[in-house]
Amino acid sequence: MSGNTEEMADIIIEGITEISDVNIEKIDIMEGPEASILGEYDCILLGAYTWGDGELPDDFLDFYEEMDHINLTGKKAAVFGSCDSSYAQYGAAVDILTEKLREQGADIVLEGLKVELNPDDEDIKNCQNFGRDFIKKSLVSSI
Ligand SMILES: Cc1cc2nc3c(=O)[nH]c(=O)nc-3n(C[C@H](O)[C@H](O)[C@H](O)COP(=O)(O)O)c2cc1C
């Protein structure tokens, strides 16, 4: 909506590429990919801001529903998103997506990362660490 979650995605990718040369594809959910593409990847990071009263963004709904039909057993996954603590359901989209990934069999290797609005200096470090930790944990646990 306003670029905060995408900024997190880019910083997380920086963190991953700092310590590994894995192939990364960044896919914009607003371009309407089908959830079946998740089957093509070993590791999945989903990012979403929270909308409405603790809901997923509208652009995420089709993808989210399609996830019901995708078996993610053996995939390493984690979720991140920008949030706003002035709302009661802080970063609920991160929790909703984490739960869905888990239900579909993914191995959640890190607790979801929630950042207040636009990442500040400390958040930037946390996003970089999130990327590093995600790939470390994913690669170690897949050996
Ligand atoms: C109508 C509306 C509803 C929102 N509801 C929530 C909410 O329930 N929980 C939350 O943490 N943030 C909520 N937000 C805040 C957004 O998640 C926040 O602005 C976020 O930084 C947007 O991320 P983006 O820049 O990636 O689009 C809401 C924002 C708007 C405009």
Side-chain angles (χ1 to χ4, degrees):
M1 185 170 62
S2 44
N4 298 333
T5 304
E6 182 166 24
E7 198 174 327
M8 290 179 74
D10 290 336
I11 302 165
I12 290 167
I13 289 172
E14 270 172 35
I16 295 173
T17 52
E18 246 174 52
I19 63 157
S20 103
D21 60 359
V22 293
N23 289 326
I24 300 174
E25 282 187 46
K26 179 179 146 192
I27 296 168
D28 187 346
I29 213 80
M30 291 171 79
E31 287 173 6
E34 291 187 6
S36 57
I37 56 159
L38 295 176
E40 296 172 17
Y41 302 95
D42 300 320
C43 304
I44 300 164
L45 281 161
L46 294 182
Y49 63 89
T50 302
W51 179 247
D53 187 14
E55 289 149 32
L56 286 177
D58 288 349
D59 287 313
F60 224 115
L61 294 178
D62 287 346
F63 192 92
Y64 177 76
E65 282 167 20
E66 286 163 19
M67 283 177 74
D68 282 339
H69 309 290
I70 314 297
N71 183 353
L72 298 176
T73 306
K75 312 282 187 193
K76 310 296 173 189
V79 185
F80 61 94
S82 173
C83 322
D84 183 343
S85 58
S86 68
Y87 290 87
Q89 309 292 325
Y90 183 71
V94 172
D95 305 324
I96 292 168
L97 290 175
T98 301
E99 194 46 40
K100 179 62 73 189
L101 286 164
R102 197 174 270 133
E103 277 170 21
Q104 299 313 117
D107 179 11
I108 305 296
V109 298
L110 278 185
E111 191 181 328
L113 179 64
K114 299 180 183 180
V115 159
E116 177 79 0
L117 299 171
N118 192 47
D120 64 15
D121 287 351
E122 197 188 331
D123 297 323
I124 288 173
K125 283 196 193 115
N126 289 338
C127 287
Q128 286 167 336
N129 287 337
F130 185 79
R132 277 196 290 266
D133 288 350
F134 176 74
I135 206 63
K136 267 194 230 161
K137 291 193 179 202
S138 297
L139 296 181
V140 165
S141 56
S142 66
I143 291 171

